[in-house]
Amino acid sequence: MQIIESSKTYDVAIVGSGAGGGMATKILAEAGFDVAVLEAGPHFDPKKEEDRNQFRWPYESPRRGASSNRRSFGDFDAAYGGWNIEGEPFTNHEGTDFWWFRSRMLGGRTIHWGRISLRIGPLDFKRNSVDGLGDNWPIGYDDVKPYYAKVDKLIGVFGSKENIPNEPDGFFLPPPKPRLHEMYYINAARKAGVPVIPSRLSILTQRINNDRGLCFYCGQCSRACQWYADFSSGTCLIFPAQKNGGRVQLFTEAMVSEVTTDKEGKATGVTYINKLDKKTHHLKAKVVVLAASACSTARIMLNSKSSVHQDGLGNSSGLVGRYLHDSTGASRAVFVPELMNRKIYNEDGVGGMHVYTPWWLNDAKLDFPRGYHIEVWGGMGMPSYGFGFNPNDLNKVVGGAIGGYGDSLRDDIKKYYGSVIGISGRGESVPQKDNYCEIDNEVVDQWGIPVLKFNYQWTQHEVKQAKHMQDTFEEILSATGGTLLGDKPDADSDYGLTAPGQIIHEVGTTRMGNDPRDSVTNKYNQLHDCENVFVMDAGPFVSQADKNPTWTILALAWRASDYLVDQVKKRNI
Amino acid sequence: MKRRDSLKSLLVGSVAGGLLVTGCAPENQAPAEPVAEEGLPGYGRNEAEKLHDKEVLAEVFLNEHELETIAALCDLILPATAMVGGALEAEVPAFIEFIVKDMPNHQLPIRGGLAWLDNHSLKLHNLEFKKITLDQQKAICDQIAFPGETAPEMMPGEKLFTRMRNLTLTGYYTSKIGIEDLGYKGNQANNWDGVPQDVLYEHGMAYEPAWLAKCVTPAQRGKVAEWDDDGNLLT
């Protein structure tokens, strides 16, 4: 058996088809480049009937939509894989509990994601100047602002102009009206002195072009929209790039193991294993764009050792894999008696919340740095596995028997349907050099590729932030007049702080900077050590604010792609 | 067909036919749904999932006696009403038959729990649970169906019953009959235009004009969005 060489040399090989890889594909293909896109999972197009999860009823799944170790968020969630991928493990250092979510399919995690599309604000790029912790980005909001605007207009995001300094407004489509439980949240939050504004999600409440459909409020964005009415990488970037006549060759089921380099250390292409025939291939390319996800990209780089790049590609700083950081998370829920025995109507709405709370205490003196936003959930959703468990536990609050059997259970179910409101905080952590992923030399996956090993501990900054969340949640939810569910998480549980990785905002492993000794890429996502390799996932993030990373991945990938085109034109690459 | 007599025929159908079995009455039949190759469910799944489902569907775990006992419990937990079918019409036993194979953590608690239930019934009536009268069954259920009131020696029964109640309700309310009974109105294209006025009134709520002014109106949705340079929507 030998490595199968590609017959031709592509202008660009793009590893990964998620937000960053999709944007690179669109911009580079439309600039006339001959592009190869390598994706470790199968092709996926929600328009194809065999890929359709939308409008399925729970009984169309034998497990009624339950989650499994094959699909973490349930049968209809459009993410192949999740916390566990059979044959592709990862490991944790003792004392670390890092969760790593991977989605193996064309479009990656953009197929199922929450569509929350927030801009990193002016303060967020320069947090070190505020609190002395971590590092500033080498770029500021004004560098990215034009690209956020382009992304808004190309892809579409609803929201509202609010003129909040660190929550920059964009080119918004109009938001949907709040649902009933969201109106309860608005009233309660205001009583607690916490502001609420319309949420900002990349879902088409109004037409943005004549190619994509309009949202019809099924609330199922996470299942992938067959009308392309929300953002995902395939439907909004890769397929349009192909349709526009771009030269885009898709390699699905292609598991990239390393970037190959020549004697001078310049990239010559990528090696991948075709998962279907299990053969090793070498795809030649003049430029390589890594967009496999922050951790997968770090893994590929660290596994790409050569005489020039002895510690892995682009790793002369020793920082590849370091500064890995996720968002913080914590939640609480309340039972609202006024929401018992609700009149039932269709309130599916868009696939996500219609309102949210942006961070509101930038000017306050607090015992922790950075901030968080608050998301709200509830309502009369479609039942799936787990619905009806402990059907009358809330009788503990309002009185009545617990348990039982017979016809009265029907009344219990209906009495409490849609009566619980939950809120979740999503916050900024302070990136730490000692939180990292590295190669585990003792474990390989089924393709023979050494796997990642994680080392990650939250600091007191994040724990104190979670405590603040819990205090705030208690105040807001109490103001609904309802009964808070469960005990308030305390210090023993780090105030309900989620395990690192669980919010699925992995960023920072190849952070950008001006000093090659202190960063992996320059401010255009280009490796300091290897000029014809770019990283266009969230690896180059220096920090991520409390803003979900996707919109910034898209903006930076567009910016980096423009730079790449310019550098090729100037023959600098 | 009497309810008790129908149990066996329902079950034979459910085991033999995999998931999608047919009840007594035509209106309770499983919905016509897209069934993909080899009788597997049709929603978007990858190859590994298809293989897994195929393997699980082919497995046998619960035996006929256990399934008949489960059916008796399902019928006690959620019987049909004059208006709407119950757990049996919603084919909940078939769902449970699948789910204990798919989620092996259910297997020992259910197998052992059912055996405990028979042991208990044999001691009292010298008959297995499924064969005692409805009143006798209810007398046992009354001792194990109310957490917090269960005698210590009856706790194994409570554990079983709680699990069976959960699986029965979740199986029922994720079935076509159950979703209709619940009244869930979604999973279809619509044009969300806010909470209905009578509901707002009932809850003492009203949309604020300033907030409403930001929101989409049904009339503007079809117009391709255009903005001025400050991000003000012009269309």
Side-chain angles (χ1 to χ4, degrees):
Chain A
M1 198 166 90
Q2 58 191 38
I3 296 172
I4 301 163
E5 284 285 332
S6 62
S7 53
K8 72 185 212 188
T9 302
Y10 289 87
D11 291 330
V12 188
I14 298 171
V15 182
S17 63
M23 183 58 86
T25 301
K26 177 158 170 66
I27 303 305
L28 298 177
E30 289 179 357
F33 288 3
D34 193 357
V35 173
V37 181
L38 298 102
E39 163 55 47
H43 191 274
F44 183 88
D45 180 355
K47 204 162 253 180
K48 289 190 297 189
E49 178 60 17
E50 63 266 32
D51 288 349
R52 178 175 68 84
N53 296 304
Q54 196 176 30
F55 290 141
R56 298 288 185 189
W57 290 100
Y59 45 81
E60 292 183 63
S61 149
R63 62 189 63 77
R64 308 292 165 93
S67 61
S68 68
N69 62 7
R70 293 167 306 286
R71 220 188 278 208
S72 299
F73 293 172
D75 257 3
F76 299 117
D77 183 69
Y80 293 162
W83 305 120
N84 171 65
I85 294 178
E86 204 181 336
E88 298 180 21
F90 59 90
T91 60
N92 274 320
H93 277 274
E94 202 181 324
T96 287
D97 181 27
F98 189 84
W99 293 49
W100 192 22
F101 193 103
R102 292 162 290 173
S103 187
R104 295 280 192 242
M105 62 207 299
L106 191 75
R109 292 177 295 198
T110 69
I111 308 292
H112 89 135
W113 73 302
R115 270 79 188 177
I116 299 174
S117 304
L118 305 174
R119 296 182 177 199
I120 292 184
L123 266 182
D124 298 323
F125 281 101
K126 307 292 178 187
R127 281 286 176 187
N128 170 271
S129 301
V130 177
D131 56 30
L133 299 167
D135 292 281
N136 289 336
W137 289 62
I139 54 177
Y141 178 68
D142 288 340
D143 294 303
V144 192
K145 185 181 175 186
Y147 286 96
Y148 279 133
K150 285 155 77 120
V151 172
D152 288 352
K153 290 175 179 173
L154 175 71
I155 292 173
V157 50
F158 73 70
S160 55
K161 283 191 90 167
E162 299 290 339
N163 300 308
I164 304 170
N166 196 43
E167 309 292 333
D169 297 327
F171 292 83
F172 292 129
L173 304 170
K177 294 177 189 173
R179 304 176 179 94
L180 185 61
H181 66 273
E182 292 165 335
M183 298 178 81
Y184 273 85
Y185 173 74
I186 293 169
N187 289 346
R190 284 179 180 168
K191 278 185 205 165
V194 174
V196 188
I197 63 172
S199 55
R200 297 174 169 182
L201 310 183
S202 55
I203 297 168
L204 302 186
T205 50
Q206 181 174 347
R207 202 167 274 288
I208 195 157
N209 57 40
N210 289 316
D211 299 322
R212 289 170 54 201
L214 205 50
C215 174
F216 42 66
Y217 305 113
C218 72
Q220 298 175 20
C221 294
S222 64
R223 298 182 177 203
C225 181
Q226 59 191 314
W227 298 101
Y228 300 178
D230 54 8
F231 169 68
S232 74
S233 176
T235 59
C236 298
L237 298 171
I238 296 174
F239 302 155
Q242 292 177 307
K243 204 174 147 196
N244 294 346
R247 287 178 291 166
V248 179
Q249 182 69 47
L250 296 181
F251 293 83
T252 53
E253 307 281 8
M255 181 79 180
V256 171
S257 54
E258 53 186 289
V259 177
T260 53
T261 48
D262 62 17
K263 280 180 198 142
E264 281 74 46
K266 218 176 156 186
T268 54
V270 297
T271 303
Y272 69 93
I273 292 116
N274 179 336
K275 289 183 169 181
L276 300 179
D277 67 15
K278 306 208 172 14
K279 286 183 178 152
T280 304
H281 298 249
H282 182 244
L283 187 139
K284 289 176 285 195
K286 295 175 195 161
V287 179
V288 173
V289 172
L290 294 171
S293 82
C295 294
S296 284
T297 288
R299 180 186 179 197
I300 292 166
M301 290 170 69
L302 292 170
N303 275 327
S304 303
K305 288 182 181 170
S306 62
S307 54
V308 178
H309 305 285
Q310 294 190 3
D311 297 320
L313 179 66
N315 195 28
S316 64
S317 63
L319 293 181
V320 173
R322 290 192 174 268
Y323 295 104
L324 167 63
H325 60 290
D326 186 26
S327 299
T328 60
S331 299
R332 196 84 198 274
V334 66
F335 161 59
V336 180
E338 284 80 7
L339 290 172
M340 289 197 309
N341 294 306
R342 289 181 63 177
K343 179 183 172 181
I344 294 177
Y345 52 92
N346 183 352
E347 61 168 4
D348 284 348
V350 302
M353 65 213 178
H354 292 190
V355 309
Y356 88 117
T357 292
W359 178 236
W360 68 103
L361 293 173
N362 275 318
D363 301 325
K365 244 194 149 40
L366 302 166
D367 67 349
F368 63 93
R370 320 289 167 99
Y372 58 90
H373 69 252
I374 302 174
E375 305 175 4
V376 54
W377 37 274
M380 303 179 289
M382 180 158 42
S384 65
Y385 182 84
F387 183 96
F389 278 19
N390 307 317
N392 46 29
D393 269 11
L394 288 168
N395 280 347
K396 287 173 195 161
V397 179
V398 301
I402 312 294
Y405 59 96
D407 221 21
S408 65
L409 294 176
R410 293 179 192 274
D411 300 330
D412 289 328
I413 290 280
K414 291 169 194 169
K415 182 163 67 177
Y416 295 119
Y417 182 44
S419 65
V420 171
I421 303 172
I423 56 178
S424 300
R426 295 286 181 263
E428 177 175 9
S429 61
V430 180
Q432 306 291 321
K433 190 177 178 185
D434 286 337
N435 286 340
Y436 58 86
C437 56
E438 62 179 347
I439 298 300
D440 186 335
N441 287 315
E442 297 179 11
V443 181
V444 292
D445 66 13
Q446 64 171 317
W447 316 109
I449 307 168
V451 308
L452 282 181
K453 185 169 194 171
F454 292 91
N455 184 77
Y456 196 122
Q457 308 295 332
W458 292 122
T459 71
Q460 280 305 303
H461 302 313
E462 290 78 36
V463 174
K464 284 178 183 167
Q465 189 186 72
K467 180 180 188 304
H468 191 272
M469 288 185 194
Q470 293 297 350
D471 292 341
T472 306
F473 297 167
E474 186 170 50
E475 204 180 340
I476 294 173
L477 297 182
S478 297
T480 63
T483 302
L484 276 77
L485 301 177
D487 293 330
K488 185 179 179 181
D490 61 13
D492 290 341
S493 66
D494 283 346
Y495 304 97
L497 178 60
T498 46
Q502 283 187 333
I503 308 302
I504 322 183
H505 296 161
E506 57 176 89
V507 314
T509 51
T510 55
R511 70 177 195 166
M512 63 165 64
N514 294 323
D515 184 349
R517 291 166 303 180
D518 200 29
S519 56
V520 176
T521 76
N522 66 17
K523 63 182 179 178
Y524 294 105
N525 300 48
Q526 179 184 31
L527 294 192
H528 288 304
D529 297 348
C530 188
E531 62 196 14
N532 67 337
V533 176
F534 289 73
V535 181
M536 297 201 197
D537 49 38
F541 282 36
V542 177
S543 61
Q544 64 169 315
D546 67 294
K547 317 293 173 61
N548 308 46
T550 302
W551 225 240
T552 304
I553 296 174
L554 290 166
L556 290 181
W558 195 332
R559 181 173 175 271
S561 295
D562 278 356
Y563 176 80
L564 194 165
V565 171
D566 184 57
Q567 290 296 298
V568 168
K569 278 186 185 155
K570 289 177 178 160
R571 300 186 182 276
N572 288 340
I573 299 179
Chain B
M1 200 156 44
K2 281 199 162 147
R3 172 151 297 271
R4 193 57 58 98
D5 298 334
S6 71
L7 283 185
K8 193 156 183 175
S9 65
L10 276 169
L11 281 161
V12 171
S14 68
V15 175
L19 283 169
L20 308 172
V21 298
T22 306
C24 295
E27 69 267 26
N28 296 331
Q29 280 175 3
E33 55 177 281
V35 175
E37 82 282 12
E38 298 148 15
L40 290 168
Y43 60 92
R45 292 161 312 142
N46 65 23
E47 295 305 316
E49 290 171 316
K50 287 178 194 169
L51 185 66
H52 173 87
D53 283 359
K54 200 174 161 184
E55 285 171 1
V56 174
L57 284 164
E59 275 173 35
V60 175
F61 179 77
L62 294 168
N63 62 38
E64 197 175 328
H65 167 69
E66 288 168 328
L67 284 166
E68 285 169 2
T69 311
I70 285 169
L73 285 166
C74 285
D75 198 25
L76 284 157
I77 290 166
L78 213 57
T81 71
M83 305 292 287
V84 59
L88 294 182
E89 287 78 9
E91 293 148 11
V92 171
F95 160 70
I96 294 174
E97 191 274 334
F98 175 84
I99 212 75
V100 299
K101 297 186 299 192
D102 197 52
M103 300 180 180
N105 62 322
H106 285 307
Q107 290 178 358
L108 182 60
I110 285 184
R111 172 154 289 166
L114 293 172
W116 179 93
L117 191 65
D118 276 340
N119 292 342
H120 185 69
S121 178
L122 283 164
K123 262 188 269 181
L124 294 179
H125 307 293
N126 201 27
L127 280 173
E128 292 159 332
F129 183 81
K130 70 180 186 190
K131 289 185 179 155
I132 58 180
T133 68
L134 197 57
D135 285 344
Q136 288 168 334
Q137 287 177 341
K138 285 184 175 177
I140 293 176
C141 290
D142 287 340
Q143 293 184 294
I144 58 178
F146 297 92
E149 298 173 18
T150 310
E153 67 276 14
M154 297 293 280
M155 280 306 290
E158 182 194 303
K159 296 279 182 206
L160 171 75
F161 201 87
T162 297
R163 187 178 293 264
M164 288 305 305
R165 181 172 46 233
N166 285 346
L167 289 177
T168 300
L169 287 178
T170 213
Y172 183 78
Y173 282 105
T174 54
S175 74
K176 189 166 190 287
I177 296 174
I179 290 167
E180 277 168 18
D181 182 49
L182 179 67
Y184 169 69
K185 295 280 191 292
N187 198 26
Q188 57 181 302
N190 71 106
N191 195 350
W192 169 256
D193 194 27
V195 180
Q197 193 55 47
D198 60 320
V199 176
L200 288 174
Y201 184 77
E202 184 196 335
H203 289 265
M205 297 277 185
Y207 285 117
E208 296 165 1
W211 192 300
L212 220 45
K214 299 171 183 173
C215 293
V216 66
T217 60
Q220 80 188 108
R221 279 165 50 79
K223 297 175 191 161
V224 173
E226 287 170 30
W227 299 265
D228 68 15
D229 290 342
D230 292 326
N232 297 303
L233 189 62
L234 302 173
T235 50

